[in-house]
Amino acid sequence: MHCPFCRHPDSKVVDSRTTDDGAAIRRRRQCGSCGRRFSTLETTSISVIKRSGVTEPFERSKIVSGVRKACQGRPVTEDDLAKLAQEVEESVRSAGIAEIEAHEVGLAILKPLRRLDVVAYLRFASVYQAFNDLDDFESAIEVLRGEQHQTTGQQALVDEETHAPRRPRRNGANSQPKTQSRAVKGRSEKNSESRPAQERLL
């Protein structure tokens, strides 16, 4: 590992920590020549097998680039695309395989993209699910509408339970209003004052 400051080829590891839930190791290195420190990130490599049979390393930037085309003209930010690419990578790595077909990577994008923007999802799905005619689009739209109605219904039930009026508490048979208890207390004190001093001492 060359030092990014002086390009010296020798460095030593002074600290190591896991990151990304154990999917990567961040190492703190110190240059043997200039003594300056820098960090490196070590991850397991995943190869993507393209249709031509050529393999290339998995990169988030390519996920972002491919999804950005489907999101043109949609209210999707670069942060949204970065989060989507991270989710796709986590999904691919969780499969525990070293090589994956490019088509499978495209399918892994569909679920988070559907949550992000349904129009971009339809654009992207038309390619990776090989839509042939309008019937394929209509079927996909019907599925999206069914999911939207189901989510709306669940949210309505939650709102009803949250905003439901509470029943007033019932007072016990022996409970009395505060005004009444104060009146009783006043009469008790008055009766106590009218008693002889000897009786109050008993």
Side-chain angles (χ1 to χ4, degrees), residues 155-180:
Q155 184 63 37
L157 291 175
V158 172
D159 292 340
E160 289 178 1
E161 293 178 356
T162 303
H163 300 289
R166 297 183 179 179
R167 295 182 179 179
R169 296 182 179 178
R170 295 182 178 180
N171 294 328
N174 297 328
S175 62
Q176 298 178 352
K178 292 183 179 180
T179 56
Q180 184 177 357

Side-chain angles (χ1 to χ4, degrees), residues 51-106:
R51 294 179 181 179
S52 60
V54 178
T55 61
E56 59 183 26
F58 178 90
E59 296 179 5
R60 289 187 189 183
S61 59
K62 294 182 179 180
I63 301 295
V64 173
S65 177
V67 176
R68 184 184 289 115
K69 297 177 182 178
C71 295
Q72 288 182 354
R74 302 300 302 166
V76 178
T77 64
E78 289 297 321
D79 289 340
D80 294 332
L81 296 178
K83 292 177 181 178
L84 183 143
Q86 180 180 356
E87 186 174 349
V88 172
E89 181 177 358
E90 291 175 353
S91 175
V92 171
R93 290 187 181 278
S94 64
I97 55 178
E99 294 183 345
I100 186 172
E101 298 283 346
H103 180 69
E104 294 297 327
V105 176

